[in-house]
Amino acid sequence: MTAAYEYETHVYDVVVVGAGGAGLRATLGMAEQGLRTACVTKVFPTRSHTVAAQGGIAASLSNMGPDHWQWHMYDTVKGSDWLGDTDAMEYLARSAPAAVYELEHYGVPFSRTEEGKIYQRPFGGHTTEFGEGPPVQRTCAAADRTGHAILHTLYGQSVKNNAEFYIEYFAIDLIMSEDGQCQGVVCWKLDDGTMHVFNAKMVVLATGGYGRAYFSATSAHTCTGDGGGMVARAGLPLQDMEFVQFHPTAMACGIDPAPLATEALRGEGAVLVNRDGNRFMLDAHPDAELAPRDIVARAVYAQTQAGLAPALDTRTALGAKILTDFPAVAAACQQAGLDPVTQVIPVAAAAHYHMGGVATDADGASTLPGLWACGEVASTGLHGANRLASNGLLEALVYLSLIHI
Ligand code: SIN
């Protein structure tokens, strides 16, 4: 049979599509096992959307007070609106401390306590004693550039382990056999328009979310749902697509994508106020600014709709420390012409994360033989209807790093 167009063929054991946190962790996990691994990505790996992840990784390290993986699991169950898959949640919470220490050993420069332990900060919805005890500082971060640090580290480690990167290759479609097996992926090389076929025993989708479907999103322009599209075209259903998370404190300053004013700021004591100076979260939830994310997002949205101009006030809690402890937020403020040391930061709810996607089991396997998915494109059921803050980077790390084929 003659092909309709010229293409170059590449053969690997594994082809990973996407080089954000999940894609790089999967790439590294496969390459470390000695598998011939290709990672195809439409942007340079360290420019993937994970670079914008400020807050951190939830893990019950107990560096800042008593904690337990079961309490983390409980918070994940509760945060999901009780709709999550408990096997996936247990796996996540149990695996978290090891995943963080592994990253530390790979070289991620985590923020430290005075004793030199990994610093953990408070985020909404993280408690102790199965919700009966006080909030816990559970989120491990590298200042407010956690995603940035993770990408650089995982990319370096992947290259060291001989993973091969195909950068600025746009994955277009899955290659399916007549008996319904996924055998590879077709890509379009962006700089010269040539077509490339990657054949592999294992195709891993790590293409992220589809935030760009929304007018206002924290997602990079690259988050266009490519993986979900390929899977749908191959005839596989997507699950839980109605579960979309909105971040309550995207900066409302005319920049697109909307920069995050990370929840960590609220963890460190920043408060939400409106145009009248009213701290409106006090009436909305007993945990005020650290209520679960969907509750804060709804309250912020209601303020915006009422024309009350919600804003984040970091001045008393952080003062000038915002410039050093939250350099990414400070840089976004500067870009917007705001001085967060003396001014409040205007905020709005914006599309942030998609809980639904390609249905996978706890090993990341889809129902299509030969196809796996991990990170935001996947839907293990882990997050139910609402992802607990700082479980997103964690999810990217714990699935698909150790699968054997
Ligand atoms: C944030 O830093 O506020 C976002 C973290 C997350 O979505 O888990």
Side-chain angles (χ1 to χ4, degrees):
M1 199 166 73
T2 318
Y5 49 81
E6 298 287 313
Y7 58 86
E8 193 177 326
T9 302
H10 311 261
V11 181
Y12 285 90
D13 295 322
V14 185
V15 57
V16 178
V17 185
L24 287 181
R25 187 62 194 85
T27 299
L28 175 56
M30 304 303 162
E32 272 181 331
Q33 296 175 53
L35 297 169
R36 284 205 68 218
T37 306
C39 178
V40 297
T41 168
K42 63 186 180 185
V43 291
F44 194 82
T46 55
R47 297 191 64 213
S48 303
H49 179 49
T50 300
V51 77
Q54 296 179 0
I57 311 159
S60 56
L61 303 187
S62 307
N63 286 351
M64 317 295 291
D67 201 0
H68 198 285
W69 71 262
Q70 290 179 348
W71 299 344
H72 180 191
M73 177 178 168
Y74 172 84
D75 294 336
T76 304
V77 172
K78 184 164 180 237
S80 76
D81 287 339
W82 313 98
L83 285 171
D85 179 296
T86 45
D87 289 342
M89 290 167 170
E90 177 180 341
Y91 177 69
L92 181 92
R94 283 182 98 117
S95 314
V100 168
Y101 290 134
E102 183 183 62
L103 274 191
E104 181 191 35
H105 297 163
Y106 283 140
V108 169
F110 283 108
S111 301
R112 298 281 162 180
T113 65
E114 283 185 1
E115 303 82 51
K117 294 179 177 171
I118 293 176
Y119 175 69
Q120 297 183 271
R121 54 169 55 127
F123 262 72
H126 290 274
T127 68
T128 49
E129 306 286 352
F130 305 105
E132 301 293 323
V136 62
Q137 294 189 218
R138 184 180 283 149
T139 298
C140 311
D144 63 350
R145 289 182 168 145
T146 313
H148 181 266
I150 291 174
L151 288 184
H152 279 260
T153 304
L154 292 181
Y155 179 50
Q157 290 290 337
S158 299
V159 170
K160 187 175 122 190
N161 281 279
N162 303 319
E164 291 176 39
F165 283 85
Y166 291 83
I167 294 166
E168 298 194 355
Y169 283 67
F170 190 107
I172 294 176
D173 257 322
L174 301 176
I175 300 169
M176 302 295 301
S177 68
E178 282 185 5
D179 60 353
Q181 173 115 7
C182 181
Q183 296 184 322
V185 66
V186 183
C187 295
W188 179 38
K189 185 166 185 273
L190 294 172
D191 65 354
D192 63 9
T194 55
M195 301 300 291
H196 295 255
V197 164
F198 291 83
N199 286 130
K201 287 177 250 176
M202 182 176 188
V203 175
V204 179
L205 292 180
T207 48
Y210 53 95
R212 300 313 300 183
Y214 289 81
F215 179 74
S216 177
T218 60
S219 318
H221 288 247
T222 49
C223 298
T224 46
D226 310 344
M230 287 192 280
V231 164
R233 285 194 294 279
L236 207 66
L238 301 170
Q239 84 178 3
D240 290 347
M241 297 302 277
E242 70 279 26
F243 293 154
V244 178
Q245 180 169 82
F246 292 81
H247 198 289
T249 54
M251 286 174 57
C253 55
I255 301 175
D256 177 32
L260 269 189
T262 171
E263 187 169 328
L265 293 162
R266 283 175 276 137
E268 302 289 343
V271 292
L272 282 162
V273 291
N274 65 16
R275 193 179 57 192
D276 302 332
N278 175 16
R279 199 177 148 199
F280 56 87
M281 279 313 298
L282 289 176
D283 293 332
H285 193 275
D287 294 333
E289 282 81 4
L290 287 184
R293 187 170 282 175
D294 56 329
I295 291 169
V296 187
R298 280 191 200 100
V300 166
Y301 180 70
Q303 295 285 316
T304 304
Q305 291 302 97
L308 290 170
L312 190 67
D313 190 346
T314 65
R315 293 174 297 183
T316 307
L318 286 157
K321 261 178 38 171
I322 192 169
L323 306 177
T324 48
D325 292 6
F326 294 91
V329 177
C333 287
Q334 192 183 27
Q335 192 186 348
L338 274 169
D339 177 6
V341 182
T342 58
Q343 292 172 287
V344 296
I345 304 171
V347 293
H352 181 60
Y353 186 88
H354 301 90
M355 277 67 72
V358 182
T360 54
D361 65 15
D363 289 332
S366 79
T367 51
L368 212 58
L371 183 71
W372 281 255
C374 59
E376 193 174 349
V377 68
S379 174
T380 53
L382 162 66
H383 305 301
N386 184 38
R387 174 172 66 77
L388 185 70
S390 45
N391 270 352
L393 283 180
L394 177 58
E395 172 190 28
L397 299 172
V398 301
Y399 289 99
L400 271 189
S401 49
L402 290 171
I403 297 280
H404 294 264
I405 54 172

